[in-house]
Short mmCIF file of all heavy atoms in Angstrom, two decimals:
data_model
loop_
_atom_site.label_atom_id
_atom_site.label_comp_id
_atom_site.label_asym_id
_atom_site.label_seq_id
_atom_site.Cartn_x
_atom_site.Cartn_y
_atom_site.Cartn_z
N LYS A 437 -13.37 -33.47 -15.38
CA LYS A 437 -12.67 -32.89 -14.25
C LYS A 437 -11.53 -33.79 -13.79
O LYS A 437 -10.40 -33.32 -13.50
CB LYS A 437 -13.67 -32.67 -13.11
CG LYS A 437 -13.16 -31.84 -11.95
CD LYS A 437 -14.30 -31.57 -10.97
CE LYS A 437 -13.81 -30.73 -9.79
NZ LYS A 437 -14.94 -30.46 -8.85
N LYS A 438 -11.79 -35.10 -13.74
CA LYS A 438 -10.77 -36.05 -13.33
C LYS A 438 -9.60 -36.05 -14.31
O LYS A 438 -8.42 -36.00 -13.90
CB LYS A 438 -11.39 -37.44 -13.23
CG LYS A 438 -10.39 -38.53 -12.85
CD LYS A 438 -11.09 -39.90 -12.82
CE LYS A 438 -10.06 -40.99 -12.53
NZ LYS A 438 -10.72 -42.34 -12.53
N ASP A 439 -9.90 -36.07 -15.59
CA ASP A 439 -8.85 -36.11 -16.61
C ASP A 439 -8.05 -34.81 -16.61
O ASP A 439 -6.81 -34.82 -16.75
CB ASP A 439 -9.45 -36.34 -18.00
CG ASP A 439 -9.97 -37.76 -18.17
OD1 ASP A 439 -9.56 -38.64 -17.38
OD2 ASP A 439 -10.79 -37.99 -19.07
N PHE A 440 -8.75 -33.70 -16.45
CA PHE A 440 -8.05 -32.41 -16.45
C PHE A 440 -7.09 -32.31 -15.26
O PHE A 440 -5.94 -31.87 -15.41
CB PHE A 440 -9.05 -31.25 -16.39
CG PHE A 440 -8.38 -29.91 -16.25
CD1 PHE A 440 -7.74 -29.32 -17.33
CD2 PHE A 440 -8.37 -29.25 -15.02
CE1 PHE A 440 -7.10 -28.09 -17.20
CE2 PHE A 440 -7.74 -28.03 -14.89
CZ PHE A 440 -7.10 -27.45 -15.98
N ARG A 441 -7.55 -32.75 -14.09
CA ARG A 441 -6.69 -32.67 -12.91
C ARG A 441 -5.41 -33.49 -13.13
O ARG A 441 -4.31 -33.04 -12.78
CB ARG A 441 -7.45 -33.18 -11.68
CG ARG A 441 -6.62 -33.08 -10.40
CD ARG A 441 -7.41 -33.49 -9.17
NE ARG A 441 -8.48 -32.56 -8.87
CZ ARG A 441 -9.76 -32.87 -8.82
NH1 ARG A 441 -10.15 -34.11 -9.08
NH2 ARG A 441 -10.67 -31.97 -8.54
N LYS A 442 -5.54 -34.67 -13.73
CA LYS A 442 -4.37 -35.52 -13.98
C LYS A 442 -3.41 -34.87 -14.97
O LYS A 442 -2.20 -34.77 -14.71
CB LYS A 442 -4.84 -36.88 -14.51
CG LYS A 442 -3.72 -37.83 -14.89
CD LYS A 442 -4.30 -39.16 -15.33
CE LYS A 442 -3.19 -40.14 -15.74
NZ LYS A 442 -2.46 -39.69 -16.94
N VAL A 443 -3.96 -34.41 -16.10
CA VAL A 443 -3.11 -33.83 -17.14
C VAL A 443 -2.49 -32.51 -16.66
O VAL A 443 -1.31 -32.22 -16.92
CB VAL A 443 -3.92 -33.61 -18.45
CG1 VAL A 443 -3.08 -32.87 -19.50
CG2 VAL A 443 -4.39 -34.95 -19.00
N GLU A 444 -3.29 -31.72 -15.95
CA GLU A 444 -2.78 -30.44 -15.44
C GLU A 444 -1.60 -30.66 -14.51
O GLU A 444 -0.57 -29.96 -14.59
CB GLU A 444 -3.89 -29.69 -14.71
CG GLU A 444 -3.44 -28.34 -14.15
CD GLU A 444 -4.42 -27.78 -13.13
OE1 GLU A 444 -5.07 -28.58 -12.42
OE2 GLU A 444 -4.52 -26.55 -13.05
N ARG A 445 -1.70 -31.65 -13.62
CA ARG A 445 -0.60 -31.93 -12.68
C ARG A 445 0.66 -32.34 -13.44
O ARG A 445 1.77 -31.96 -13.07
CB ARG A 445 -0.98 -33.04 -11.70
CG ARG A 445 -2.08 -32.72 -10.73
CD ARG A 445 -1.71 -31.61 -9.76
NE ARG A 445 -2.76 -31.44 -8.77
CZ ARG A 445 -3.88 -30.78 -8.96
NH1 ARG A 445 -4.12 -30.21 -10.12
NH2 ARG A 445 -4.78 -30.67 -7.99
N GLU A 446 0.47 -33.12 -14.50
CA GLU A 446 1.63 -33.56 -15.27
C GLU A 446 2.33 -32.39 -15.92
O GLU A 446 3.57 -32.28 -15.87
CB GLU A 446 1.18 -34.57 -16.34
CG GLU A 446 0.71 -35.90 -15.75
CD GLU A 446 0.08 -36.81 -16.80
OE1 GLU A 446 -0.09 -36.35 -17.96
OE2 GLU A 446 -0.26 -37.97 -16.46
N TYR A 447 1.57 -31.49 -16.53
CA TYR A 447 2.18 -30.32 -17.17
C TYR A 447 2.78 -29.37 -16.13
O TYR A 447 3.83 -28.77 -16.35
CB TYR A 447 1.15 -29.58 -18.03
CG TYR A 447 0.98 -30.17 -19.40
CD1 TYR A 447 -0.24 -30.71 -19.79
CD2 TYR A 447 2.03 -30.17 -20.31
CE1 TYR A 447 -0.42 -31.25 -21.06
CE2 TYR A 447 1.87 -30.72 -21.59
CZ TYR A 447 0.65 -31.26 -21.95
OH TYR A 447 0.50 -31.79 -23.21
N LEU A 448 2.10 -29.23 -14.98
CA LEU A 448 2.63 -28.37 -13.93
C LEU A 448 3.98 -28.88 -13.44
O LEU A 448 4.94 -28.10 -13.28
CB LEU A 448 1.64 -28.31 -12.77
CG LEU A 448 2.11 -27.58 -11.49
CD1 LEU A 448 2.44 -26.13 -11.80
CD2 LEU A 448 1.04 -27.68 -10.41
N ALA A 449 4.08 -30.20 -13.22
CA ALA A 449 5.32 -30.78 -12.72
C ALA A 449 6.46 -30.67 -13.71
O ALA A 449 7.63 -30.56 -13.33
CB ALA A 449 5.09 -32.24 -12.34
N LYS A 450 6.11 -30.66 -15.03
CA LYS A 450 7.15 -30.61 -16.06
C LYS A 450 7.44 -29.20 -16.57
O LYS A 450 8.59 -28.87 -16.88
CB LYS A 450 6.73 -31.48 -17.26
CG LYS A 450 6.67 -32.97 -16.98
CD LYS A 450 6.37 -33.76 -18.24
CE LYS A 450 5.01 -33.38 -18.83
NZ LYS A 450 4.68 -34.18 -20.05
N GLU A 451 6.39 -28.35 -16.64
CA GLU A 451 6.54 -27.08 -17.34
C GLU A 451 6.13 -25.85 -16.52
O GLU A 451 6.22 -24.72 -17.01
CB GLU A 451 5.72 -27.10 -18.64
CG GLU A 451 6.10 -28.22 -19.59
CD GLU A 451 5.27 -28.20 -20.86
OE1 GLU A 451 4.52 -27.22 -21.07
OE2 GLU A 451 5.36 -29.15 -21.65
N GLY A 452 5.68 -26.06 -15.30
CA GLY A 452 5.25 -24.93 -14.49
C GLY A 452 6.35 -23.88 -14.34
O GLY A 452 7.51 -24.21 -14.11
N GLN A 453 5.99 -22.61 -14.45
CA GLN A 453 6.97 -21.52 -14.38
C GLN A 453 6.50 -20.44 -13.42
O GLN A 453 5.32 -20.08 -13.39
CB GLN A 453 7.19 -20.90 -15.76
CG GLN A 453 7.90 -21.80 -16.75
CD GLN A 453 8.21 -21.09 -18.05
OE1 GLN A 453 8.39 -19.87 -18.07
NE2 GLN A 453 8.25 -21.83 -19.13
#
Side-chain angles (χ1 to χ4, degrees):
K437 191 174 180 179
K438 178 182 176 181
D439 288 342
F440 174 75
R441 182 176 292 120
K442 176 177 179 295
V443 174
E444 180 195 32
R445 293 295 186 280
E446 291 172 354
Y447 277 117
L448 173 60
K450 293 185 298 182
E451 302 180 9
Q453 291 185 29

